[in-house]
């Protein structure tokens, strides 16, 4: 590579530019982790440090605790963000990844320095705990870093490597979350060297990434961040917690031709099997990575040891939170469903079973839910929207509203609530799946926050405005704990935090507007439903 070697002592970023007629120098940072050399972005506005290893997967136990990354003995060239943890990626459904994947990427605006420390935004990707990666393929920094924040995107293990849950000290479960904790510790310990303000760290995640943040808020681990952005994810979403994960290694090993009834034998076999074969077997069996309630062991870190439903969230005290969902979360699930498939759906029972003990008696409850959403209609294409609403409410809007209530009760600082409804030309999921039905599907907002490297179409004027608005709101929150410290042409409305009696929310559509209590009638139905049936909730414990 070109770029002169330069040793720097105890300082921050070097900002030599070609504009000064100097030889182009790559930015070099002397951090507690060692010397790290990055790259300058094409537009020269920021530096990129790609693929920094923050921990190492233990080859002997790739399903368990990571081992610390030793300090770099020579300059680490942070030039490559392509590492992915083992998974079936969700674009082309190919099996990819290696265990050398516990990497993070740092994007630093030129304005950062030891005298001008910038707030830090740490992104945790979604992907159903089964896939996802941190690279610029999806999570390009360009839109966010214009606003003078440092962006960090991190990889964590998913699927079997991240979420086997075996009730053993070696593989107690939730390893993916523990990887995130290691990465957050790395950020706390090193980000000052990059010009970051260690007292202003916001974590932000979507879907499984958002739920991850709520798990961190529930855990007894140190508080490693000051603020949280939680997009379309909740620990209370149905079907999230694993009920019994112990059979997974046996089944996976068996799929690969290794039969045993001894867990340590199965694990030893899987540990030495090629990761791609393990993922292939796991996928063939239709298995998924899922968080679980861990058994506690001495000297073993845990994240979750009780059902989130039974827990308060003391860590959220004094933390500002920005949280919300999209107006048609389950749009993509139903949009492309062929008409003839509707009659075979068992969606009400299947959904309710995920959260409730579904006995004879409960059938009556299912009937009430059904009537609420579709009256006496049969399941058919005619009720496509209604089923979309049912699942969107049940899986996202209601669990999120339940979390909000807990945050308020616990004394969260300011809680900003939003609904993303914009239906533009680049909604992330709708565009990938060619969906033209109006509304915003799960994850659709991502492409208004991040610059997707695979997206070649220039943003339309309307889409660009939404990009500008979203990234300004989000980074205002990162900087000030308040998305609209003042109004402007771009942000003409004042977005206030919720209070016990006023669940104000910002509706992000082609126009920004403020109202209160999204879907209040549907949410009231679910509040009553859960209150009435709380003794039937799986895992419920009377406090
Ligand atoms: C999916 O396939 C396309 C076309 O081959 C390729 O450009 C892209 O990088 C692939 N995406 C992923 C995430 O593997
Ligand atoms: C389905 O939803 C639409 C739109 O909200 C509503 O007008 C219609 O009455 C619903 N259908 C039934 C059978 O409830
Ligand atoms: C969407 O449409 C494009 C262009 O017509 C096509 O290449 C692609 O395969 C379609 N994708 C899906 C998921 O249907």
């Amino acid at each position: 590579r070109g770029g002169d070697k330069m040793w720097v002592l105890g300082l921050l970023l070097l900002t030599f530019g070609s504009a000064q007629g100097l030889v182009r120098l790559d930015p070099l940072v002397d951090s507690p982790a060692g010397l790290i050399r990055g790259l300058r972005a094409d537009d020269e506005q920021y530096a990129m440090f790609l693929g920094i290893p923050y921990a190492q997967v233990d080859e002997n136990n790739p399903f368990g605790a990571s081992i610390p990354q030793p300090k770099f003995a020579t300059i680490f060239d942070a030039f490559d963000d392509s590492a992915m943890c083992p998974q079936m990626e969700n674009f082309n459904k190919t099996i990819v990844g290696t265990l050398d994947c516990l990497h993070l990427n740092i994007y630093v605006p030129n304005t950062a320095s030891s005298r001008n420390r910038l707030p830090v935004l740490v992104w945790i990707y979604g992907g159903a705990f089964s896939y996802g990666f941190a690279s610029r393929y999806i999570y390009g920094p360009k839109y966010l870093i214009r606003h003078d924040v440092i962006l960090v995107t991190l990889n964590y293990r998913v699927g079997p490597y991240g979420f086997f849950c075996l009730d053993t000290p070696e593989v107690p479960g939730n390893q993916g979350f523990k990887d995130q904790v290691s990465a957050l510790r790395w950020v706390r310990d090193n980000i000052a060297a990059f010009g970051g303000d260690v007292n202003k760290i916001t974590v932000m995640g979507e879907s499984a990434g958002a739920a991850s943040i709520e798990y961190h808020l529930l855990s007894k681990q140190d508080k490693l961040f000051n603020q949280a952005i939680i997009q379309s994810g909740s620990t209370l979403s149905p079907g999230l917690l694993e009920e019994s994960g112990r059979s997974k290694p046996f089944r996976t090993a068996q799929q690969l031709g290794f039969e045993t009834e001894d867990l340590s034998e199965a694990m030893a076999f899987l540990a030495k099997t090629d990761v791609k074969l393990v993922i292939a077997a796991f996928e063939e069996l239709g298995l998924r990575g899922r968080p679980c309630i861990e058994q506690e062991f001495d000297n073993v870190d845990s994240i979750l040891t009780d059902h989130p439903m039974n827990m308060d969230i003391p860590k959220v005290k004094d933390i500002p939170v920005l949280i919300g969902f999209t107006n048609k979360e389950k749009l993509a699930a139903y949009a492309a469903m062929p008409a003839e498939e509707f009659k075979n759906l068992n969606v009400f029972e299947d959904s309710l079973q995920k959260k409730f003990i579904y006995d004879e008696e409960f059938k009556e409850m299912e009937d009430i839910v059904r009537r609420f959403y579709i009256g006496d209609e049969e399941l058919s294409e005619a009720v496509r929207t209604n089923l979309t609403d049912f699942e969107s409410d049940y899986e996202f809007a209601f669990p999120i509203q339940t979390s909000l209530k807990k945050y308020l009760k616990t004394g969260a600082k300011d809680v900003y609530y939003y609904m993303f409804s914009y239906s533009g030309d680049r909604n992330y999921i709708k565009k990938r799946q060619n969906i033209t039905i109006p509304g915003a599907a799960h994850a659709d907002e991502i492409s208004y926050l991040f610059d997707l490297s695979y997206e070649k179409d220039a943003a339309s004027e309307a889409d660009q405005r939404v990009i500008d608005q979203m990234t300004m709101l989000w980074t205002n929150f990162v900087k000030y704990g308040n998305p609209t410290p003042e109004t402007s042409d771009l942000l003409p409305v004042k977005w206030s935090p919720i209070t016990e009696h006023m669940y104000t929310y910002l509706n992000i559509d082609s126009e920004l507007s403020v109202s209160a209590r999204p879907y209040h009638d549907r949410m009231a139905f679910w509040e009553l439903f859960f209150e009435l049936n709380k003794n039937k909730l799986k895992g419920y414990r009377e406090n």
Side-chain angles (χ1 to χ4, degrees):
R1 267 205 48 94
D4 298 359
K5 267 199 185 144
M6 261 208 82
W7 289 94
V8 266
L9 294 169
L11 77 122
L12 289 156
L13 267 187
L14 289 175
T15 49
F16 290 85
S18 47
Q20 290 141 280
L22 298 169
V23 188
R24 188 180 139 134
L25 290 175
D26 291 332
L28 185 65
V29 168
D30 187 6
S31 76
L35 284 164
I36 301 172
R37 178 162 40 209
L39 295 169
R40 207 146 271 304
D42 289 341
D43 67 4
E44 299 277 324
Q45 297 305 299
Y46 59 97
M48 311 191 282
F49 300 86
L50 306 176
I52 303 171
Y54 62 82
Q56 300 277 342
V57 173
D58 180 353
E59 303 250 326
N60 297 316
N61 180 18
F63 307 94
S66 64
I67 48 187
Q69 166 68 38
K71 185 165 175 173
F72 304 122
T74 55
I75 297 182
F76 179 79
D77 283 337
F79 298 162
D80 180 2
D81 66 351
S82 66
M84 300 180 193
C85 292
Q87 63 188 271
M88 181 187 273
E89 52 75 24
N90 198 37
F91 284 82
N92 308 318
K93 309 280 184 203
T94 54
I95 292 175
V96 295
T98 64
L99 292 174
D100 179 14
C101 67
L102 301 183
H103 298 183
L104 50 78
N105 311 305
I106 308 178
Y107 305 97
V108 183
N110 292 349
T111 48
S113 73
S114 54
R115 260 159 298 167
N116 184 37
R117 294 195 177 280
L118 299 185
V120 182
L121 179 56
V122 183
W123 172 254
I124 303 178
Y125 51 70
F129 308 106
S130 300
Y131 51 88
F133 49 84
S135 78
R136 289 163 297 158
Y137 188 71
I138 313 176
Y139 307 114
K142 197 169 78 182
Y143 304 148
L144 285 162
I145 52 184
R146 304 177 288 170
H147 300 286
D148 287 337
V149 300
I150 289 177
L151 177 69
V152 179
T153 66
L154 60 92
N155 275 347
Y156 59 94
R157 278 173 280 175
V158 290
Y161 294 97
F163 291 95
F164 262 169
C165 179
L166 307 181
D167 298 336
T168 63
E170 295 77 29
V171 188
N174 301 329
Q175 186 52 48
F177 299 148
K178 295 168 192 174
D179 291 345
Q180 297 168 7
V181 169
S182 304
L184 289 168
R185 288 208 180 106
W186 194 100
V187 170
R188 178 195 61 193
D189 295 342
N190 291 280
I191 204 68
F194 294 80
D197 182 348
V198 75
N199 299 311
K200 265 196 190 166
I201 296 177
T202 301
V203 281
M204 159 180 174
E206 189 271 340
S207 193
S212 299
I213 293 172
E214 208 171 74
Y215 284 112
H216 293 305
L217 287 169
L218 289 167
S219 87
K220 291 188 217 101
Q221 305 284 333
D222 311 339
K223 218 187 239 185
L224 292 162
F225 49 86
N226 313 95
Q227 311 194 120
I229 300 178
I230 300 175
Q231 299 171 207
S232 298
S234 165
T235 57
L236 301 171
S237 285
L240 222 55
L241 275 187
E242 183 89 271
E243 281 171 56
S244 169
R246 277 189 78 109
S247 70
K248 286 181 180 177
F250 295 109
R251 295 176 63 199
T252 311
Q254 189 187 37
Q255 185 75 6
L256 292 162
F258 184 80
E259 299 258 1
T260 177
E261 284 175 14
D262 182 288
L263 183 61
S264 48
E265 270 180 28
M267 293 309 287
F269 168 77
L270 293 173
K272 64 177 169 43
T273 302
D274 184 287
V275 296
K276 294 198 169 111
L277 294 176
V278 172
I279 296 291
F282 195 75
E283 290 287 332
E284 280 157 23
L285 292 164
L287 299 176
R288 291 284 166 268
R290 284 288 175 265
C292 68
I293 298 171
E294 294 163 62
Q295 260 186 38
E296 286 183 274
F297 300 98
D298 289 342
N299 305 316
V300 175
D301 282 349
S302 63
I303 298 286
L304 188 73
T305 52
D306 189 4
H307 196 295
M309 153 179 59
N310 301 320
M311 297 172 77
D312 288 330
I313 316 182
K315 257 161 96 180
V316 85
K317 191 164 179 345
D318 299 326
I319 287 192
V321 180
L322 190 157
I323 180 170
F325 60 97
T326 71
N327 73 334
K328 296 267 175 200
E329 289 278 356
K330 294 295 283 192
L331 183 68
Y334 285 98
M337 192 175 285
E340 66 276 11
E341 272 183 33
F342 280 84
K343 63 177 187 306
N344 302 326
L345 292 176
N346 193 22
V347 50
F348 294 107
E349 180 178 341
D350 290 349
S351 299
L352 291 169
Q353 282 215 20
K354 290 182 190 164
K355 265 199 137 15
F356 295 93
I357 300 162
Y358 193 98
D359 50 19
E360 239 351 86
E361 223 179 304
F362 201 77
K363 178 85 184 92
E364 213 178 301
M365 290 299 143
E366 180 198 324
D367 291 340
I368 294 174
V369 174
R370 168 190 292 263
R371 290 201 291 275
F372 183 75
Y373 282 94
I374 63 168
D376 290 338
E377 296 286 319
E378 296 290 322
L379 288 184
S380 77
E381 201 189 358
V383 294
R384 197 189 287 270
T385 351
N386 312 65
L387 296 180
T388 310
D389 288 347
F390 159 62
E391 273 206 88
S392 304
D393 293 350
Y394 183 68
E395 289 194 15
F396 295 99
F398 183 66
I400 289 168
Q401 189 190 282
T402 309
S403 288
L404 283 186
K405 202 166 157 180
K406 283 196 181 196
Y407 295 166
L408 268 189
K409 192 177 123 201
T410 316
K413 192 162 183 308
D414 290 325
V415 179
Y416 294 94
Y417 191 20
Y418 75 88
M419 179 161 80
F420 181 85
S421 314
Y422 181 64
S423 191
D425 293 334
R426 60 167 49 214
N427 286 31
Y428 177 64
I429 289 297
K430 287 211 307 182
K431 183 159 187 188
R432 268 171 62 187
Q433 302 191 9
N434 296 337
I435 297 168
T436 51
I437 299 174
H442 188 62
D444 263 355
E445 80 281 14
I446 282 183
S447 41
Y448 299 94
L449 290 166
F450 293 99
D451 168 34
L452 318 167
S453 76
Y454 71 82
E455 173 64 86
K456 302 300 176 209
D457 299 341
S460 70
E461 206 175 304
D463 288 356
Q464 187 61 49
R465 186 167 162 84
V466 175
I467 291 170
D468 293 344
Q469 287 173 323
M470 289 276 285
T471 55
M472 181 71 101
L473 289 163
W474 264 226
T475 56
N476 275 345
F477 177 78
V478 170
K479 291 183 213 172
Y480 312 116
N482 176 355
T484 53
E486 54 193 26
T487 55
S488 62
D489 287 344
L490 186 64
L491 303 178
V493 299
K494 181 89 192 137
W495 178 8
S496 310
I498 61 169
T499 64
E500 195 188 337
H501 300 292
M502 181 66 79
Y503 276 35
T504 308
Y505 73 99
L506 181 73
N507 189 22
I508 304 172
D509 205 333
S510 36
E511 298 296 328
L512 298 175
S513 61
V514 169
S515 317
R517 274 201 201 264
Y519 303 142
H520 61 86
D521 39 7
R522 281 149 49 182
M523 293 305 106
F525 169 81
W526 284 111
E527 258 186 278
L528 287 169
F529 188 92
F530 271 73
E531 186 55 36
L532 179 65
N533 295 298
K534 68 179 172 204
N535 295 321
K536 294 250 159 174
L537 276 166
K538 290 180 180 170
Y540 178 74
R541 188 164 42 68
E542 193 82 51
N543 277 322

